[in-house]
Amino acid sequence: MAPSSAQGVPALEKKVFLAALLFCGALLALLGYAAQTLGVSVPGCVTNVKPFTAGELLEVGPGRYEAHVVARMWEFEPDVIRVPKGSIVDFYVVSQDVAHGFIIPGKNVNLMALPAAVAYAQARFDAPGTFQIICHEYCGLGHHGMAGSVVVTP
Amino acid sequence: MRIQKELRPVVLIEVLFPLALLLLGVYHGVVQVLCRAGIVRADGLPGMGYYQGLTAHGVINAIVLTTFFAVAFGNVVVSQTLDRGVSVAGAWAGLILMAAGTLFAAIPILLGQASVLYTFYPPLKASPFFYIGLVLLIVGSWVAFWSWIPAYRRWRQSHPAEKTPLAAVGIFATFIVWQLCTLPVAYEVIVQLIPWSLGWTAGVNVVLARMLFWFFGHPLVYFWLLPTYTMYYTMLPRLAGGKLFSDFYGRFVFMLFIVLSSPIGLHHQFMEPGIDTSYKAVHAILTLLIAVPSLATAFTLAASLEHGARAAGGRGYFAWWAKLPHLDEQRWLFPYLFMGLVIFIFGGFTGIVNASYGMNALVHNTAWLPAHFHLTVAGPVFLGILGMGLYLVLGMLGKPLAWPKAALSVPYVWTLGVFTFSTGLFVSGLRGAPRRTNLGLSYLDPSSPLYRPDWLTGEMAGVLGGIVMALAVVIYFAVLLKSLLAPASALAADEFALPLSEAYHDEDVPAVKNFFPWVAAAVLALFLAYGPPLAEVIKARYPGTPGYTPDSPVAVE
């Protein structure tokens, strides 16, 4: 290909631009598929639950639980959440002081706990066992010890 | 065209001062990997606590070094390419403000009164000096930028038929992005945090503060990256013995970054409450569009390298790679830039994972994140700063490079280290290990009920990689100090100039000649992407939250 110095965008550059757009389009199509069809989405803005100050586990139906979790320096309340296997748990998480994190490795539960706004995620626990809940946002000197658990009973 | 002689002391200070601080930043990087893996089972090493050191590591390496270097490099590029038009008084004013700000922020960090990490999320509260220092640092960089604008105007008037030199386009794009994105964080720090940390206001709106921070936080990474992109587009082709394949793509990519860098920050907040999913989805789409300038860059740079290698006798589809100056002592800057590009391939692809909406639930705030951004900011950005920093210091002083073989080894040793480090942290991150956490005191302590043996392998690889990275830095400083001890040549200093490339495809495309339409598009995109979520957060009137210091669960009075 010869060097050029005319007006306008050269043909090869146009083709590369098109290829880059197609690549992005393919990625976006996959994200749309995951969100719409597989339900792999992100937490939204919860407006029907006001920030709460006490943690509790509520049984709202057969095999259905609501966990209201308060994160504070440096513990979760409740720190152990016991549910039978096969349960679906709705987690509502709020902080009473600084920003905290709330991740359950092995489940798609990964939230930021903030004061003033409630975070929400849902998970299904099919197999018995213990799942750690880990604070993954730096929250002060005791951060590395801030953890809880979900105990799934047989 | 040479660089203004009066700028030399400014540039030298702007490179050497943050490099000296970097020694502390790197030292604490090593302390962190040792603590995380449980090899050191303590709150850091004596003299500096773990989270205090983590704050210093982030502030020095990611804010102070990068900002000082961008300004230093900008001074050189503008002086060389825009008719020696930098205002020397403006350059000094910028430097003094930035240095004062750094000292203001450093004192509370060293005293342990600002262990809030470099993201300083409220309601964790630091000493007011920390926030005031950050403001001075940013304002100093603004002053430097403003002092280049008259040079650009004069150059355009006196060269009406010419295209603006590409290196200047890169630097102006860098600082236009910076100017736009630092306004919201300036609001957060000046209006929300400083009065609150002084005790003048009782509470801070945490949800608003976080949104303003991430309005700034993602374009910040392009502010880090674009000076290195400028080196890639304007110097790497010449160092490879060739020409820039497409001048148009260089301009187009810089203009696209002005538009796309900022309206995407919510992808850092995918997992947060208070923000509707529709806004998050819009930002996810815009974030993925960043892949367009990145792929265009990958194409152009690969084509430029091939052009140089074929001119040197390279053959075949892939064999031409061997003809690049990987070990050429005369062109020792080449591997600093080239290895940065190699690292960045992996930084880019893992970045796509982070941006991919629901997939973020797997990796958000885990060790995956530092593994990713050490392949960007501690990859191309850091190697660009090390290489160009050394190049500028030696050039301005007119000193020869001591120990060229050692200088050549630095980017390779660093690459080995950072790949090992990041591979380890990718693995432990995917298994749920949190970032910014002293794991050795809990999750990687076999006597703790929280013990997670499945994270150990990854964190041990992190230790190995961290030590190799530190070794590269030690070699680098040995070369730098040895070179500084050599006698200077005034003639060589007067002759010094950046090795700028010519273009192979040099079309004249009017759409990328002028910044104005692209800046207007950027402002419009910001209003569309941030207007609705910001309005919603303001309308929700979240109550103010009192401050907390990191050492106590009791709110500060």
Side-chain angles (χ1 to χ4, degrees):
Chain A
M1 197 166 306
S4 52
S5 58
Q7 289 273 331
V9 180
L12 184 58
E13 274 87 328
K14 280 184 187 159
K15 280 184 206 158
V16 170
F17 183 64
L18 200 64
L21 277 181
L22 283 174
F23 177 72
C24 285
L27 291 178
L28 288 171
L30 286 171
L31 290 195
Y33 172 75
Q36 291 298 324
T37 312
L38 306 178
V40 183
S41 191
V42 298
C45 187
V46 176
T47 50
N48 59 338
V49 178
K50 293 291 158 218
F52 40 86
T53 52
E56 57 186 335
L57 179 68
L58 305 170
E59 188 173 359
V60 292
R64 292 295 303 255
Y65 292 86
E66 257 184 47
H68 290 211
V69 180
V70 174
R72 63 171 78 92
M73 296 157 99
W74 295 283
E75 61 180 10
F76 291 110
E77 179 194 321
D79 67 335
V80 179
I81 294 169
R82 273 176 210 284
V83 293
K85 74 171 184 179
S87 300
I88 295 175
V89 184
D90 290 305
F91 293 97
Y92 293 91
V93 185
V94 73
S95 165
Q96 219 167 54
D97 39 52
V98 300
H100 296 280
F102 186 92
I103 186 174
I104 306 178
K107 297 281 163 192
N108 274 339
V109 176
N110 187 338
L111 295 170
M112 298 304 298
L114 301 183
V118 178
Y120 167 78
Q122 188 185 69
R124 188 189 168 99
F125 294 90
D126 283 327
T130 300
F131 292 83
Q132 270 184 343
I133 300 172
I134 293 164
C135 172
H136 64 29
E137 182 57 88
Y138 169 65
C139 57
L141 293 186
H143 163 55
H144 40 260
M146 183 167 167
S149 59
V150 177
V151 176
V152 184
T153 52
Chain B
M1 184 60 65
R2 306 284 175 233
I3 293 139
Q4 290 151 276
K5 213 170 176 171
E6 309 77 38
L7 277 180
R8 281 182 203 163
V10 179
V11 173
L12 282 170
I13 297 170
E14 281 169 350
V15 174
L16 291 173
F17 172 66
L19 278 179
L21 291 175
L22 179 71
L23 287 171
L24 175 62
V26 168
Y27 161 75
H28 216 277
V30 176
V31 173
Q32 279 167 67
V33 287
L34 293 174
C35 287
R36 278 184 68 95
I39 293 172
V40 172
R41 216 178 293 291
D43 179 28
L45 287 180
M48 195 169 240
Y50 181 89
Y51 298 107
Q52 182 187 16
L54 179 51
T55 306
H57 180 78
V59 170
I60 292 171
N61 300 15
I63 297 185
V64 174
L65 176 68
T66 50
T67 306
F68 270 78
F69 177 79
V71 170
F73 184 57
N75 276 325
V76 173
V77 166
V78 173
S79 185
Q80 179 174 332
T81 61
L82 300 182
D83 290 345
R84 301 160 60 92
V86 175
S87 152
V88 176
W92 274 110
L95 169 58
I96 290 167
L97 282 167
M98 292 198 301
T102 304
L103 294 177
F104 259 64
I107 291 167
I109 293 174
L110 294 175
L111 292 176
Q113 290 168 5
S115 299
V116 294
L117 311 192
Y118 84 110
T119 43
F120 54 88
Y121 294 137
L124 274 180
K125 193 187 250 187
S127 153
F129 287 102
F130 173 76
Y131 303 112
I132 293 168
L134 292 182
V135 170
L136 289 175
L137 174 61
I138 289 176
V139 171
S141 67
W142 288 352
V143 168
F145 171 49
W146 297 339
S147 77
W148 304 333
I149 295 171
Y152 173 73
R153 291 238 169 87
R154 283 195 300 273
W155 192 93
R156 288 291 295 245
Q157 274 163 9
S158 53
H159 305 76
E162 292 174 46
K163 292 189 278 191
T164 308
L166 185 57
V169 172
I171 285 302
F172 274 83
T174 307
F175 278 83
I176 290 169
V177 169
W178 184 239
Q179 183 71 66
L180 286 174
C181 80
T182 44
L183 293 173
V185 77
Y187 181 91
E188 182 206 352
V189 174
I190 296 171
V191 179
Q192 291 193 283
L193 301 187
I194 290 178
W196 170 71
S197 78
L198 285 166
W200 296 348
T201 53
V204 65
N205 181 339
V206 169
V207 181
L208 177 63
R210 291 177 68 88
M211 192 174 278
L212 292 172
F213 180 83
W214 283 114
F215 195 143
F216 152 81
H218 198 76
L220 169 67
V221 311
Y222 296 111
F223 174 71
W224 295 338
L225 204 51
L226 286 175
T228 302
Y229 262 54
T230 305
M231 295 174 218
Y232 288 162
Y233 271 101
T234 66
M235 290 172 232
L236 186 65
R238 176 158 160 192
L239 290 168
K243 292 180 176 180
L244 174 63
F245 187 80
S246 173
D247 174 78
F248 160 73
Y249 258 170
R251 290 165 201 278
F252 184 48
V253 163
F254 286 125
M255 298 302 178
L256 274 183
F257 271 115
I258 292 176
V259 181
L260 292 176
S261 288
S262 295
I264 61 178
L266 288 187
H267 75 246
H268 290 261
Q269 299 185 282
F270 280 157
M271 299 299 134
E272 288 192 30
I275 306 167
D276 195 79
T277 47
S278 59
Y279 305 136
K280 291 176 177 173
V282 168
H283 282 235
I285 293 166
L286 290 169
T287 307
L288 284 179
L289 284 181
I290 288 281
V292 171
S294 298
L295 291 172
T297 300
F299 163 78
T300 313
L301 297 181
S304 307
L305 290 171
E306 184 174 350
H307 183 254
R310 291 203 187 280
R315 296 274 178 275
Y317 282 117
F318 297 105
W320 57 265
W321 279 59
K323 291 287 181 187
L324 292 170
H326 298 293
L327 296 170
D328 183 343
E329 292 182 15
Q330 298 304 311
R331 287 182 278 177
W332 57 267
L333 185 55
F334 178 82
Y336 284 82
L337 302 184
F338 182 82
M339 292 317 289
L341 267 180
V342 172
I343 298 171
F344 194 42
I345 292 170
F346 299 92
F349 279 118
T350 53
I352 289 177
V353 174
N354 308 343
S356 292
Y357 204 59
M359 206 192 285
N360 189 253
L362 186 62
V363 298
H364 174 74
N365 257 2
T366 68
W368 170 281
L369 260 293
H372 155 70
F373 68 67
H374 279 81
L375 299 179
T376 58
V377 68
V381 176
F382 187 63
L383 283 179
I385 291 174
L386 288 189
M388 183 52 63
L390 184 59
Y391 197 82
L392 289 178
V393 168
L394 298 183
M396 298 270 148
L397 291 171
K399 296 192 179 213
L401 176 71
W403 296 332
K405 282 192 174 64
L408 274 175
S409 76
V410 170
Y412 297 108
V413 177
W414 180 266
T415 303
L416 183 67
V418 81
F419 273 155
T420 309
F421 167 85
S422 284
T423 305
L425 266 68
F426 278 133
V427 170
S428 69
L430 288 176
R431 292 172 177 177
R435 65 188 285 199
R436 23 175 72 168
T437 304
N438 190 353
L439 300 178
L441 290 181
S442 54
Y443 302 102
L444 286 182
D445 177 356
S447 65
S448 162
L450 300 177
Y451 186 50
R452 291 288 301 239
D454 56 326
W455 296 349
L456 191 61
T457 319
E459 295 296 325
M460 282 296 180
V463 174
L464 196 63
I467 289 171
V468 175
M469 289 155 83
L471 176 69
V473 172
V474 169
I475 300 171
Y476 177 81
F477 275 92
V479 170
L480 176 65
L481 292 177
K482 176 75 178 165
S483 303
L484 286 175
L485 293 175
S489 149
L491 185 68
D494 290 339
E495 289 289 309
F496 173 75
L498 296 171
L500 298 179
S501 312
E502 292 173 30
Y504 182 64
H505 282 187
D506 200 13
E507 278 80 359
D508 198 2
V509 182
V512 293
K513 274 175 105 166
N514 202 329
F515 286 106
F516 180 76
W518 299 91
V519 176
V523 173
L524 181 68
L526 281 176
F527 269 100
L528 293 176
Y530 263 112
L534 270 177
E536 215 159 89
V537 168
I538 292 166
K539 211 173 68 191
R541 294 182 176 279
Y542 292 104
T545 306
Y548 294 82
T549 53
D551 55 352
S552 166
V554 180
V556 179
E557 282 300 313

